[in-house]
């Protein structure tokens, strides 16, 4: 289990971001404190992300509960030993059952060793994950942020981040994924903190805790 960035480290990074980008400073000034998001790590964590994607929160929770019940020992070896038909009885769609086996086989073959992933630089770790069928860049970036506390990853394809970036720059149209990555360059080496800041701002606006931009 990794140690997420402390409240003090996050605050220091927020202040550095505000100095680096006056437009972001406006959002930083009104966004409440937040903690670093922490997710389930390793093979089970990536499997959970795949299982829960593109379904409602309630459906995701229900399906994951079935997966946990059907795979009490959630290791690559156990998952690889089951065929897609069994995985589908746990509530997985056919593509997700296929992806679950692909993740397990990637670890077992050494193509993506979850035990060694932490030692890789950001882009190498992303490349290892996205080489697995069913794992896109957004999934890889968020997985690494939430399970390893990588401070300089920024999932530019995230729609909530794009919308919050639109607020930052006070424009009518939110940025494309390519534009979001380019815009975030100014926030190095704290792009991960910037992402958390924008997510926190987005959530606070949606909950009506702070005024819309």
């Amino acid at each position: 289990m990794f140690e997420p960035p402390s409240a003090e480290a996050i605050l220091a990074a927020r202040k550095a971001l505000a100095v680096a980008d006056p437009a972001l400073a406006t959002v930083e000034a009104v966004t409440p404190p937040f903690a670093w998001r922490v997710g389930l790590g390793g093979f089970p964590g990536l499997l959970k992300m795949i299982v829960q994607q593109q379904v409602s929160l309630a459906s995701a929770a229900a399906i994951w509960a079935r997966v946990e019940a059907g795979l009490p020992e959630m290791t690559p070896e156990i998952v690889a030993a089951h065929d897609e038909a069994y995985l589908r009885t746990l509530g997985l769609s056919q593509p997700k059952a296929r992806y679950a086996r692909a993740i397990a086989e990637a670890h077992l073959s050494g193509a993506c060793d979850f035990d060694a992933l932490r030692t890789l630089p950001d882009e190498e770790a992303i490349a290892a994950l996205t080489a697995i069928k069913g794992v896109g860049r957004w999934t890889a970036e968020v997985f690494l942020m939430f399970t390893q506390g990588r401070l300089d990853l920024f999932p530019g394809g995230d729609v909530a981040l794009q919308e919050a970036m639109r607020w930052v720059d006070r424009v009518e149209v939110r940025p494309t994924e390519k534009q979001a990555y380019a815009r975030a360059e100014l926030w190095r080496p704290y792009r991960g903190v910037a992402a958390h800041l924008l997510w926190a701002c987005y959530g606070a606006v949606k909950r009506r805790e702070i005024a819309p931009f």
Side-chain angles (χ1 to χ4, degrees), residues 80-126:
H82 289 295
D83 58 19
E84 291 180 20
Y86 176 75
L87 296 175
R88 292 190 68 186
T89 69
L90 306 181
L92 301 190
S93 64
Q94 185 170 350
K96 287 186 178 181
R98 190 178 306 123
Y99 300 156
R101 284 181 49 82
I103 294 169
E105 289 165 0
H107 177 80
L108 294 174
S109 70
C112 184
D113 184 338
F114 286 92
D115 298 326
L117 204 58
R118 189 183 303 277
T119 65
L120 299 178
D122 291 345
E123 285 302 322
E124 288 184 26
I126 291 170

Side-chain angles (χ1 to χ4, degrees), residues 32-115:
F34 56 82
W36 192 268
R37 297 189 188 185
V38 177
L40 178 64
F43 169 76
L46 185 59
L47 179 58
K48 184 177 183 179
M49 286 191 67
I50 294 297
V51 167
Q52 295 189 329
Q53 281 180 10
Q54 298 177 324
V55 295
S56 68
L57 291 176
S59 294
I63 295 170
W64 184 246
R66 290 175 63 183
V67 171
E68 288 183 307
L71 297 168
E73 292 186 62
M74 203 175 297
T75 65
E77 292 81 3
I78 294 295
V79 172
H82 289 295
D83 58 19
E84 291 180 20
Y86 176 75
L87 296 175
R88 292 190 68 186
T89 69
L90 306 181
L92 301 190
S93 64
Q94 185 170 350
K96 287 186 178 181
R98 190 178 306 123
Y99 300 156
R101 284 181 49 82
I103 294 169
E105 289 165 0
H107 177 80
L108 294 174
S109 70
C112 184
D113 184 338
F114 286 92
D115 298 326

Side-chain angles (χ1 to χ4, degrees), residues 122-141:
D122 291 345
E123 285 302 322
E124 288 184 26
I126 291 170
L129 288 167
T130 55
I132 305 170
K133 187 175 181 61
V135 180
R137 187 175 180 93
W138 178 90
T139 299
E141 290 168 332

Side-chain angles (χ1 to χ4, degrees), residues 113-206:
D113 184 338
F114 286 92
D115 298 326
L117 204 58
R118 189 183 303 277
T119 65
L120 299 178
D122 291 345
E123 285 302 322
E124 288 184 26
I126 291 170
L129 288 167
T130 55
I132 305 170
K133 187 175 181 61
V135 180
R137 187 175 180 93
W138 178 90
T139 299
E141 290 168 332
V142 172
F143 174 77
L144 293 168
M145 285 176 67
F146 293 176
T147 67
Q148 297 183 7
R150 297 188 184 228
L151 292 177
D152 198 35
L153 285 182
F154 189 86
D158 190 277
V159 174
L161 288 186
Q162 292 170 2
E163 181 66 5
M165 293 173 82
R166 183 180 73 80
W167 300 343
V168 166
D169 291 327
R170 300 186 182 277
V171 294
E172 293 296 321
V173 179
R174 66 182 178 228
T176 64
E177 181 175 351
K178 182 177 180 179
Q179 290 168 337
Y181 281 120
R183 177 70 176 85
E185 283 296 310
L186 185 59
W187 303 333
R188 286 181 182 272
Y190 299 121
R191 290 180 300 167
V193 179
H196 276 72
L197 174 63
L198 293 171
W199 276 321
C201 173
Y202 182 85
V205 169
K206 293 300 180 183

